[in-house]
Amino acid sequence: MARPLPKIPTGIGGFDELSHGGLPQHRTTLLKGGPGSGKTVFALQSLVNAARKRQEPGIFVAFEESTRQLIANAASFDWGLPALAKNKLFFLDAKLSPEVVQSGEFDLSGMLAILKAKKEEIGAQWIVFDGIDVLLTLLQNPLAEMREIYRLRDWLAQNDVNAAIITAKIDGATPEIANYGFMQFMVDCVIRFERRLEHGVALHRLEITKYRGSDFVAGEYPVSFGPAGMEVGAPEPAEIKQVASGERVSAGFERLDTMLGGGLFRGSSTLITGVPGTSKTTLAGQFTQAACRRGERTLFVSFDEGADRIARNLTSVGIQLKPHIKSGLLRMYSGRTEAIGAEDHLVRLKSLIREHRPRCMVIDPLSAIAKAGGIDAARAVANRLIYLAKDEKITVVVTAINEGDEPETEATDLQISTIADTWIHLSYMIRSGERNRALTIIKSRGTWHSNQVRELVLSKNGPMLADVYTAGGEVLMGTLRWEKESAERAKTMQRRVEFDHKRGELQVAEAETRARIKALQHDLARQRAELALYSKENQARIVSSSEREQELRRIRSADPARRASSSSGNSGKENKQGERDAP
């Protein structure tokens, strides 16, 4: 089974991924490209990373610039080059004047002998020949030039180093090295650099055109420059391995959270679109303030508008960011989009993320980077930026400007709405000479969300969403809503007056009815009393009559009256007999 080609990493972000490990170990790599395309930066950064990260000393041979110029030019990077030049890196000024070269027979033997001694002295494991085409051009002899190239190749083969790098310029009209195209066949790895202007912005590109004995990612990829040096925009991994969180965070205020079914998911991405003036920055600022109040580190990135101006403007709607900036929770960065390419913006944002370590981030507006080198570069950067935030578990809110007032029309055509988890659209509703802001949620993945169009109202206490108000199936906002509400209030008041009047009439009628009922109850009680009295008197008469009859019988010495147990016939006979027997 064939063993894989041994490689040594350069430490340049993105390139080691493209090359599947870095440069070929113990072999030679050729960097070719036009002026200012990044060849020298790539070579020098590889040496710096080897010396700083793996303690591997190196030698840099400069045929075009002096050591002083190289160190001065690299001062913009945080490499600490002057300190490394004292004990880890050796710079050899090999720049010669045409008079010296043409004064007699010239070859590289003397210089190579010096390099061999220096290599053994410091234990150099890396070596760079920068701008060798400058020297070879001075020879003005094609045979001598080819002879020196082969001399250099043989020297590298005899003096084992971890990696050797040669840089050479290419002709602007062709992609080949002027007069030295054969060099590409001598080396094991060839990397082409390009610098071109698109929409007035300088863009840098890199392509691996040859890698003997190894596979690599083919294609042209963007190159950017930041504080750490060069970075290559390598393609993202084919497989997405992001962890979904069930934790909710506030989108800024309660009613918007309610419309979102409880807020935003931690680590999700939210897109806010709308035409200018629809309060995209205001919503982003409200989200920022809410995050800072929770004690979460937040990064606010604005394009083409100063951070201090944004903080001042947001105070008019009750959003106070300056206290959080002062406390260190909030970091605000403002970038001019047309000053650098989209990839350079991405590198700077990556650096800010590494420095501040935010849990929440705002980019306002992300669509502005379309001005930084064209729509294709901007689209790629926008997608990579959102994926980066998700990979870092950062809850990100980005805004984008629309040309029209339709949510489906994105002005920058960044196509980020497809990868955003939540899409909030802001628009204007114009009726009766009045313009009102409206908010709707187009999508929110993984959660229930409202389908209502709500009026967005700005006040000194911050943004708020008005209650939904409909009339005849149409949502009303602004003055129309106020007029309709006033009319409804007038109707409600009239109905209340009518109700109070009718209630008074019914209460009077009820009182009268109760009075009549009470009078009738009194009359009924009187009649019942009379009936009871009459019954008592009648009973008394019956008792009195019975007692008188008994008294008469006693006086007449007659038998007591028998009870009505006997029949009336017998009673009659007995009464007659008694009458006959009476004296």
Side-chain angles (χ1 to χ4, degrees), residues 198-209:
E198 291 186 7
H199 303 280
V201 178
L203 302 179
H204 295 78
R205 295 290 185 268
L206 174 151
E207 179 187 8
I208 301 174
T209 60

Side-chain angles (χ1 to χ4, degrees), residues 122-138:
I122 66 174
Q125 301 180 47
W126 286 69
I127 188 166
V128 171
F129 294 94
D130 184 43
I132 196 170
D133 58 288
V134 175
L135 173 64
L136 298 179
T137 303
L138 297 177

Side-chain angles (χ1 to χ4, degrees), residues 70-84:
L70 282 169
I71 294 178
N73 294 340
S76 59
F77 304 125
D78 55 5
W79 294 343
L81 194 56
L84 291 173

Side-chain angles (χ1 to χ4, degrees), residues 154-165:
D154 294 341
W155 184 90
L156 290 173
Q158 296 168 7
N159 294 271
D160 187 36
V161 291
N162 278 348
I165 299 175

Side-chain angles (χ1 to χ4, degrees), residues 151-404:
R151 189 191 306 275
L152 181 60
R153 183 197 65 176
D154 294 341
W155 184 90
L156 290 173
Q158 296 168 7
N159 294 271
D160 187 36
V161 291
N162 278 348
I165 299 175
I166 299 175
T167 74
K169 289 190 293 294
I170 60 176
D171 190 351
T174 65
E176 302 301 329
I177 304 172
N179 303 322
Y180 313 112
F182 64 91
M183 292 178 60
Q184 301 181 75
F185 301 98
M186 297 170 49
V187 299
D188 298 285
C189 179
V190 178
I191 305 170
R192 182 181 65 86
F193 292 82
E194 183 181 0
R195 179 184 183 273
R196 61 176 180 259
L197 289 177
E198 291 186 7
H199 303 280
V201 178
L203 302 179
H204 295 78
R205 295 290 185 268
L206 174 151
E207 179 187 8
I208 301 174
T209 60
K210 172 186 176 181
Y211 207 131
R212 187 175 290 157
S214 172
D215 62 343
F216 57 91
V217 180
E220 186 181 79
Y221 294 93
V223 174
S224 55
F225 301 88
M230 175 183 291
E231 184 170 334
V232 182
E236 302 295 334
E239 183 179 3
I240 299 176
K241 297 181 179 180
Q242 297 165 350
V243 179
S245 172
E247 179 186 357
R248 299 272 193 166
V249 296
S250 174
F253 52 99
E254 184 178 357
R255 286 199 167 185
L256 181 55
D257 293 339
T258 302
M259 289 188 69
L260 291 167
L264 304 173
F265 282 117
R266 172 76 69 186
S268 65
S269 58
T270 300
L271 171 66
I272 303 176
T273 59
V275 297
T278 48
S279 299
K280 299 181 297 299
T281 302
T282 301
L283 284 188
Q286 188 73 8
F287 168 78
T288 301
Q289 180 176 251
C292 291
R293 286 179 174 175
R294 294 193 301 268
E296 299 177 2
R297 300 176 69 85
T298 305
L299 176 63
F300 192 111
V301 178
S302 61
F303 287 114
D304 298 332
E305 188 171 8
D308 190 64
R309 185 182 295 270
I310 290 177
R312 181 205 65 185
N313 294 344
L314 290 176
T315 58
S316 64
V317 287
I319 300 174
Q320 305 295 334
L321 299 184
K322 290 185 177 180
H324 304 299
I325 297 174
K326 187 176 180 180
S327 69
L329 275 178
L330 175 61
R331 173 78 180 272
M332 296 192 72
Y333 166 80
S334 299
R336 194 182 300 276
T337 52
E338 296 177 339
I340 56 177
E343 288 291 336
D344 296 305
H345 284 300
L346 178 61
V347 170
R348 293 193 177 186
L349 295 184
K350 284 183 176 180
S351 178
L352 288 171
I353 290 173
R354 286 192 297 266
E355 292 174 9
H356 193 60
R357 295 175 288 106
R359 296 202 72 190
C360 297
M361 182 169 68
V362 167
I363 306 175
D364 177 51
L366 183 59
S367 54
I369 62 173
K371 297 183 291 183
I375 186 61
D376 292 335
R379 185 178 299 157
V381 167
N383 282 266
R384 288 170 60 194
L385 189 56
I386 291 180
Y387 280 125
L388 171 65
K390 290 183 177 181
D391 291 340
E392 297 293 331
K393 299 181 178 61
I394 299 173
T395 308
V396 61
V397 171
V398 301
T399 69
I401 299 175
N402 291 48
E403 285 181 348

